[in-house]
Amino acid sequence: MKSLVRFFRGRLFVLLAVCALCSVMPSWSQSSGNGSFPAGSAQGTAEMSEEMTGIDFPNITFSASAPQDGHQIAFSIELLLLLSILTLAPSIMLLCTCFLRFSIVLDFIKRALSLQQVPPTAVLNGIALFMAIFCMRPTFQKLYTDAFKPLSDNEITLTEAYNRAEKPIKEWMFSQMSENQAYKTYVGSFMKMAGMEQPRNLDEVPMTVIIPAYILHELTVAFKIGIRLYIPFIIIDMVVASILMSMGMMMLPPVQISMPFKLMLFVLVDGWGLLTTQLFNSVM
């Protein structure tokens, strides 16, 4: 019985092989006799036209060698410091200008209005950035005229340009801190922590001292403005919460009822206009 099964299995395999070969032979003969396959298809070539030219890629090479003298070492260090400054440029822009104050105050007003997604944080940061550029335009213009333009014309060295660029930035930060005597408080504290003598004028204050002092001052001023903005909206929340409690509607969140009233009040008094005007007046 097993031998019979093996016999038929072998014959079936041979039959399938013959059928497959018969189905392939006509197509093979047609393709060998006719240049186009399948029938009716257009013939083509894979040859490239002589008018077509290849793309010439430039050769890019990189080499590193040991410095031969102290001048080359100094140049390498200056280049490294310049790249570091370019990397820290966004942080310098955020912390050494009035952007910090504007961004914090705008975030405070968003939270005071009980708004979660509108306006987005990216939009508020963009508003704060362009407001800071508007307020810092005279400082940037002076920095360009005194430092960058002479450096680009090869009239001064990089070190002298850096020293000239420090002065307008120091004057800006000092003008903001000198209004409420924060200059003596924060600058004196950092000078004392650094083990330095108390400065007699602005030129004796290094940038490593005046920048953190200015940051603390801006944080303090921004939080003071934010607290003042919060007070009228907190009163609205308290009034709405008291009304809901007296009506026995304790399960209803007061924020859902108070938010439309806060938005109407903010729009009726032209809140955005008043806010931006007061922010400009606080730094100009």
Side-chain angles (χ1 to χ4, degrees):
M1 186 65 183
K2 292 183 179 180
S3 60
L4 184 61
V5 172
R6 291 176 183 176
F7 174 78
F8 283 108
R9 184 182 298 175
R11 293 295 184 271
L12 181 61
F13 177 76
V14 173
L15 181 61
L16 292 176
V18 172
C19 294
L21 184 60
C22 292
S23 62
V24 172
M25 285 296 292
S27 60
W28 178 79
S29 61
Q30 184 180 3
S31 61
S32 60
N34 187 10
S36 58
F37 176 77
S41 61
Q43 297 183 2
T45 61
E47 297 180 359
M48 183 178 294
S49 176
E50 296 180 356
E51 298 179 357
M52 299 293 294
T53 58
I55 301 175
D56 296 332
F57 287 96
N59 294 326
I60 300 175
T61 60
F62 177 78
S63 61
S65 60
Q68 302 297 327
D69 52 10
H71 178 73
Q72 293 183 0
I73 297 176
F75 177 76
S76 300
I77 295 176
E78 289 180 356
L79 182 61
L80 179 61
L81 293 176
L82 180 60
L83 294 176
S84 301
I85 293 175
L86 292 177
T87 305
L88 298 175
S91 299
I92 296 174
M93 177 64 188
L94 299 183
L95 299 179
C96 296
T97 63
C98 51
F99 173 84
L100 183 62
R101 180 188 304 187
F102 292 167
S103 61
I104 293 176
V105 172
L106 291 177
D107 190 72
F108 263 108
I109 194 64
K110 177 181 176 180
R111 297 178 183 274
L113 291 172
S114 302
L115 300 175
Q116 301 297 328
Q117 303 295 334
V118 180
T121 304
V123 174
L124 294 180
N125 290 334
I127 295 173
L129 177 62
F130 283 98
M131 289 172 59
I133 293 174
F134 177 80
C135 294
M136 297 291 297
R137 182 179 177 182
T139 302
F140 291 154
Q141 185 67 32
K142 188 175 181 181
L143 190 148
Y144 173 81
T145 304
D146 297 343
F148 182 79
K149 188 65 168 59
L151 178 63
S152 62
D153 295 338
N154 294 325
E155 298 177 359
I156 59 176
T157 61
L158 182 62
T159 305
E160 189 175 357
Y162 174 76
N163 295 330
R164 289 188 181 185
E166 278 187 346
K167 187 175 181 180
I169 299 177
K170 279 186 178 180
E171 291 177 352
W172 161 263
M173 291 187 286
F174 175 75
S175 64
Q176 298 300 314
M177 292 188 294
S178 60
E179 297 179 357
N180 51 6
Q181 300 298 322
Y183 174 80
K184 297 181 180 179
T185 304
Y186 297 116
V187 174
S189 300
F190 280 101
M191 293 290 288
K192 185 177 180 180
M193 287 187 290
M196 302 178 181
E197 297 181 357
Q198 295 298 322
R200 291 171 295 182
N201 51 41
L202 184 61
D203 296 333
E204 296 181 358
V205 182
M207 291 292 290
T208 55
V209 171
I210 195 170
I211 289 178
Y214 175 76
I215 293 173
L216 292 182
H217 168 262
E218 288 296 292
L219 288 174
T220 304
V221 173
F223 273 76
K224 288 181 180 179
I225 297 174
I227 292 172
R228 294 176 182 177
L229 291 175
Y230 247 104
I231 293 176
F233 299 109
I234 289 177
I235 294 176
I236 296 176
D237 288 333
M238 294 175 62
V239 171
V240 172
S242 300
I243 295 175
L244 292 177
M245 288 287 291
S246 62
M247 296 175 62
M249 304 174 65
M250 294 179 292
M251 300 301 294
L252 182 64
V255 177
Q256 294 184 358
I257 307 300
S258 63
M259 185 176 65
F261 291 99
K262 290 189 289 186
L263 290 176
M264 287 188 293
L265 175 63
F266 190 74
V267 172
L268 288 176
V269 300
D270 191 17
W272 291 114
L274 293 176
L275 181 63
T276 54
T277 302
Q278 293 303 317
L279 287 176
F280 284 141
N281 293 334
S282 66
V283 299
M284 300 299 288

